[in-house]
Amino acid sequence: MTQKAILLIASAFGALSVMIGAFGAHALAPMLRATNRVETFETAVKYQMYHTLALLAVGLLLFKIEHPALQVAAWAFLIGIIIFSGSLYTLILTGVTWMGVITPIGGTAMIVGWAALFYAILKAL
C-alpha cells in the first residue's frame, strides 16, 4: 500500500468514525438503549478511531522511515478496523450474534499492527 493510500484511508476512516459516532449518538440512540448495545457501539467507534489514528501515524512515519513492517502494520490496522468494528456494527444493526465470533480476529489484527509498528521503529530508528 502506498503512503498516499494509507494517509487517504486514515483520513476517510477518521471522518467515518465521527459520522458513525454522531449517527449512533442521535439516530440510533433509542435502538441502542432498547437493545442494551450502547457500550458495544461505543467500543466499536472508539477502536475504529484509535486505530485510524494509528494508521495515520504509520502513514506519517513513512516520511521518515521505510521498513517493510510498516506495510504490515498498515494492513493489520486496516483489516482490524474492518473486522473488529465492522463486526460490532453488524451485530448492533442486525442482531446477528454470530458476528461476535469474528470480532477477536479483528482485535488480533490490531495487535499485530501494533507489534509490527513496534518492530519497524525498533529496527529503523
Side-chain angles (χ1 to χ4, degrees):
M1 189 171 357
T2 66
Q3 180 183 26
K4 182 177 181 178
I6 292 168
L7 292 171
L8 288 171
I9 291 167
S11 299
F13 273 22
L16 271 173
S17 297
V18 175
M19 290 187 295
I20 292 168
F23 183 69
H26 300 288
L28 293 181
M31 185 268 293
L32 293 172
R33 282 192 297 275
T35 58
N36 205 21
R37 298 277 189 208
V38 173
E39 192 173 310
T40 304
F41 182 81
E42 288 175 352
T43 297
V45 174
K46 279 191 291 189
Y47 273 65
Q48 180 176 342
M49 182 56 88
Y50 296 155
H51 291 86
T52 293
L53 293 172
L55 188 60
L56 180 65
V58 169
L60 294 174
L61 270 173
L62 285 167
F63 281 113
K64 176 78 174 157
I65 59 177
E66 287 187 37
H67 193 282
L70 286 179
Q71 288 295 322
V72 173
W75 280 107
F77 288 140
L78 177 60
I79 291 165
I81 291 166
I82 291 168
I83 295 174
F84 183 88
S85 294
S87 67
L88 291 180
Y89 294 142
T90 302
L91 167 70
I92 291 160
L93 294 173
T94 67
V96 177
T97 56
W98 69 263
M99 289 300 291
V101 173
I102 67 167
T103 305
I105 297 168
T108 301
M110 291 172 171
I111 294 166
V112 168
W114 287 108
L117 179 57
F118 178 89
Y119 182 77
I121 292 168
L122 179 69
K123 292 298 181 180
L125 296 180

